[in-house]
Amino acid sequence: MRSFQYWGVASLLLRVCTPAAIVVLWLREPLASYGFTLRVPLRTLRPYALAFSAMLPALLVASAFPSFQRRYPLYPDAARGGWHFWGYQLFYAAQFLGVEAFFRGFALFGWSRSLGRDAVWVLTIPYVMVHFGKPLPEVFAAIIAGWLLGTWALRSGSFIGGWLLHCAVAISMDLLVLGRQLGAHGLIERLFATAG
């Protein structure tokens, strides 16, 4: 678990706190101008909810593939349940906050000033590269996700919707894979175990 704790905290420090400090202390601009805001019109969150609904059947199918079952959850002891599952999810979510704050916040809003909407495509390239080594369908899906999440972030003025979607997809994949391994009853028992 410790490596995932470091991963989550490092992501927050390097991808959230450092860019935020650059925006405030060096660029002397408001954080909201780089997508760091919770003031998001609810109507702009609708595409994220629809995307998640559309992705659920794909996640259900993907969770049956051996390549996804070998990969998820990233933390093997998450199957023990209790803190092993929920603590891992907490640091996993922190890591996703870093990903979204950097790619769909700091970098996207910064580069869009000179590149306009083309910044979305430019940032999709390194975003897809982050997925190298994951199952191939996930790598290809990252191309579409990078474009959509960037477009929606610019439209909403925030990366928060992308973060929520990322977390929802990740926990769903973990739950579906573990559900296939443990069965529904075994999964529920493990998730709410107090020891382990």
Side-chain angles (χ1 to χ4, degrees):
M1 171 77 82
R2 186 155 296 172
S3 62
F4 290 97
Q5 293 170 332
Y6 288 140
W7 186 35
V9 171
S11 186
L12 289 177
L13 291 173
L14 297 174
R15 297 176 179 161
V16 180
C17 297
T18 301
I22 290 170
V23 169
V24 172
L25 301 175
W26 185 34
L27 300 175
R28 299 192 185 278
E29 294 185 41
L31 285 172
S33 64
Y34 284 82
F36 287 77
T37 181
L38 295 174
R39 291 179 181 234
V40 183
L42 284 179
R43 63 182 162 70
T44 63
L45 293 178
R46 188 171 183 219
Y48 298 100
L50 292 173
F52 179 65
S53 299
M55 289 175 69
L56 273 177
L59 294 172
L60 183 61
V61 170
S63 69
F65 292 2
S67 59
F68 283 87
Q69 290 181 0
R70 284 190 301 270
R71 179 85 182 171
Y72 296 105
L74 295 176
Y75 176 53
D77 281 347
R80 291 172 59 187
W83 166 251
H84 290 283
F85 181 83
W86 296 110
Y88 158 68
Q89 292 299 330
L90 175 69
F91 291 102
Y92 202 18
Q95 179 273 150
F96 282 128
L97 182 59
V99 168
E100 292 301 322
F102 183 78
F103 284 107
R104 255 75 68 179
F106 180 68
L108 177 64
F109 284 88
W111 285 20
S112 69
R113 295 172 183 204
S114 58
L115 298 176
R117 294 203 173 269
D118 289 338
V120 172
W121 287 114
V122 170
L123 287 165
T124 296
I125 296 167
Y127 176 70
V128 171
M129 292 172 70
V130 168
H131 291 76
F132 288 174
K134 294 185 176 183
L136 196 55
E138 187 174 349
V139 175
F140 286 120
I143 298 168
I144 298 165
W147 177 72
L148 284 174
L149 293 175
T151 300
W152 295 340
L154 285 177
R155 188 177 301 152
S156 69
S158 174
F159 57 79
I160 292 298
W163 175 61
L164 294 173
L165 179 59
H166 240 130
C167 291
V169 168
I171 196 169
S172 296
M173 178 56 78
D174 287 349
L175 288 171
L176 288 167
V177 167
L178 290 175
R180 288 182 183 280
Q181 294 170 358
L182 304 170
H185 180 72
L187 176 64
I188 291 168
E189 256 184 9
R190 296 269 181 96
L191 289 181
F192 299 103
T194 55

